[in-house]
Amino acid sequence: MPETILYVDDDVALGRLAQRSLGRLGYAVEHVTDGAACMAALEARRFDAVVLDHYLKAETGLDILRRFRERGYSVPAIYVTGSSEATIAVDALKNGASDYVIKTVGEEFWSLMESALRQAIATAELRREKERADQEIRLGKERAEVLLAEVNHRVANSLALVAALIRLQATNSRDETVRAALSETQARISAIAGMHRSLYTSEDVRQVEMDKYLSTLVKEVQGSVNVGSQGPSIRLDADPVVLASDRAVSVGMIVTELLTNAIKYAYPPGSEGEVRVLLTRGPDGRALLAVEDDGIGMEEGSVPKGTGLGSRIIRSMATTLGSAIRYVPSRPGTRAELCLDLAPEPA
């Protein structure tokens, strides 16, 4: 199918010549003499390009170009000017023309016109292809984000169910050691479930708002570890900090283990106290995570109580974050700190 050209020129003889000359080159040319007819033709059908002469009876081609812009037309336009009117050609390009051709007498004019049309049509097609590709990428990204949110939703629900089953098993167990181990396992699972819950409720499924995530996490840890007892309370003070989802999981696991240890060992059995979780954004693109208490404290070089699994989890998660847990001397109590790099990771 031949490419269609709308030729706008008030010279009827030149219009017929355009139809013959460009027709021999394989184009289908429709000729109109003014801006109103040009707009009507564009409303009625699609053209691959428009050729605009500058001087018309009651207007100029620049006036028509401005109407193109006002109506949002994206059809490529070739502007035709007299040989001494370079400034007009520049104005035409500024107003959206794809190219211009200096009007001359002879076959070289039509050769230049055909070259300009071919280039303008090819450029317009490339632009449309890019827009279509960009649209497909946007739609694909939206579909992927919806799917990922749904996956996070289902994973969070499944993990919550597993945690509930473990809690039920812990409640029914008569062995205190078994109950403690199951409660710690439930807290660890709840930490991961909470991260997935934060992701499917977030606008960006790649990142987690840590203040909101930790707020939910500390409640779940206290509920799972302090089963049936008063014990220490937990206070959270967190600045708005955003982390990538995989880093958020590591932070959540560390906080879970530190809180579990503090709730179980910081204060004498049956006594009350406070455990504080602090997340402070620094001015240097880093954040400081701390879990502290006012309890009996920790002897330097002391052996971890229990199986030591929690300590191994903490060290492993800190390593994945490119950091390490530091225990700061505190009287009374214990304070554990972890520095977090907030610099964006390379894409």
Side-chain angles (χ1 to χ4, degrees), residues 303-325:
V303 178
K305 297 181 180 180
T307 64
L309 175 61
S311 297
R312 292 197 297 272
I313 291 175
I314 290 172
R315 286 196 299 271
S316 176
M317 295 297 103
T319 300
T320 65
L321 293 168
S323 186
I325 288 289

Side-chain angles (χ1 to χ4, degrees), residues 67-84:
R67 275 185 262 173
F68 281 9
R69 191 167 63 246
E70 291 168 0
R71 299 192 186 187
Y73 291 158
S74 58
V75 59
I78 307 300
Y79 208 76
V80 178
T81 70
S83 59
S84 61

Side-chain angles (χ1 to χ4, degrees), residues 23-132:
R24 286 196 299 268
L25 296 171
Y27 295 97
V29 180
E30 180 174 332
H31 173 236
V32 294
T33 59
D34 55 38
C38 172
M39 297 313 237
L42 289 173
E43 289 289 338
R45 58 178 296 197
R46 177 186 175 278
F47 290 89
D48 293 296
V50 176
V51 177
L52 290 172
D53 189 47
H54 177 64
Y55 288 113
L56 303 172
K57 287 183 179 178
E59 59 197 333
T60 68
L62 293 175
D63 298 321
I64 299 175
L65 280 175
R66 295 186 187 102
R67 275 185 262 173
F68 281 9
R69 191 167 63 246
E70 291 168 0
R71 299 192 186 187
Y73 291 158
S74 58
V75 59
I78 307 300
Y79 208 76
V80 178
T81 70
S83 59
S84 61
E85 296 170 328
T87 56
I88 293 176
V90 172
D91 286 341
L93 294 174
K94 289 180 179 179
N95 279 278
S98 302
D99 202 349
Y100 68 92
V101 177
I102 301 297
K103 184 183 288 187
T104 59
V105 177
E107 285 299 317
E108 69 274 8
F109 172 72
W110 299 111
S111 176
L112 292 171
M113 176 64 69
E114 195 273 336
S115 177
L117 285 169
R118 185 173 62 252
Q119 181 64 38
I121 292 171
T123 300
E125 181 59 29
L126 287 174
R127 184 171 59 249
R128 285 192 292 269
E129 288 292 338
K130 182 180 182 301
E131 290 171 355
R132 282 193 290 267

